[in-house]
Amino acid sequence: MSQTAIIPKKILLRGDIGDSFEERLAAAAVTPGHIVEKTSVDKYQPHSNPNGHWAHRIAIENRIFGATIDDVYALGDMVNTVKVDPGDRFYGWLKSGQNVTFGDYLVSNGDGTLTKAATSVLQQNVADSTAVTATTSETTFSN
């Protein structure tokens, strides 16, 4: 029996936005589901350090203005983000062409997306994959 992937309508699938919500201007285009970092001028951009440490912050959709997970923040837009904690689940972006299965460890690809971790970089693990969905452009996963 074939299964059809269900695409969520929000980025944070399990977890509490609560006090972890932050907004900052975009220093570059940011897609909801990207892992993000602050720049030296206190703006958000896609996380830029492959395999590097990150602050557990992801871009979410701007529901206040009716935006969806498909609406990319442009340079200068106000980016909505939340900090994710262990046990939270989010709908993020996996680098295209990755072969990831349940339980694989994921790290930053250096462009806001995630990639399968090599055993030599597991100390920088971003997330464990729990569901993987292939799409036509990139692959999404939920943690």
Side-chain angles (χ1 to χ4, degrees):
M1 173 181 230
S2 171
Q3 291 184 343
T4 303
I6 298 172
I7 306 298
K9 298 190 183 311
K10 61 183 184 176
I11 297 299
L12 188 62
L13 302 175
R14 182 172 69 193
D16 184 23
I17 292 177
D19 293 335
S20 74
F21 179 83
E22 282 187 7
E23 290 182 307
R24 284 192 170 41
L25 292 174
V30 176
T31 301
H34 272 167
I35 59 174
V36 296
E37 65 187 3
K38 287 184 202 175
T39 66
S40 61
V41 292
D42 206 32
K43 295 181 179 182
Y44 279 129
Q45 68 183 15
H47 187 264
S48 63
N49 184 5
N51 302 318
H53 178 75
W54 71 300
H56 298 253
R57 191 153 290 280
I58 58 168
I60 61 171
E61 69 283 359
N62 190 343
R63 287 187 264 167
I64 295 169
F65 292 104
T68 70
I69 65 172
D70 298 319
D71 294 316
V72 177
Y73 294 100
L75 173 70
D77 285 353
M78 193 64 75
V79 180
N80 294 340
T81 70
V82 294
K83 182 178 182 286
V84 290
D85 294 314
D88 288 352
R89 289 187 179 205
F90 69 97
Y91 189 63
W93 291 98
L94 186 66
K95 180 183 177 231
S96 182
Q98 293 291 293
N99 184 13
V100 176
T101 59
F102 178 83
D104 284 345
Y105 292 104
L106 305 172
V107 294
S108 174
N109 188 57
D111 60 359
T113 65
L114 300 164
T115 190
K116 186 175 179 175
T119 54
S120 62
V121 296
L122 287 181
Q123 72 276 8
Q124 296 300 334
N125 177 33
V126 168
D128 302 338
S129 60
T130 59
V132 179
T133 305
T135 63
T136 56
S137 58
E138 292 190 4
T139 302
T140 57
F141 88 101
S142 66
N143 155 321

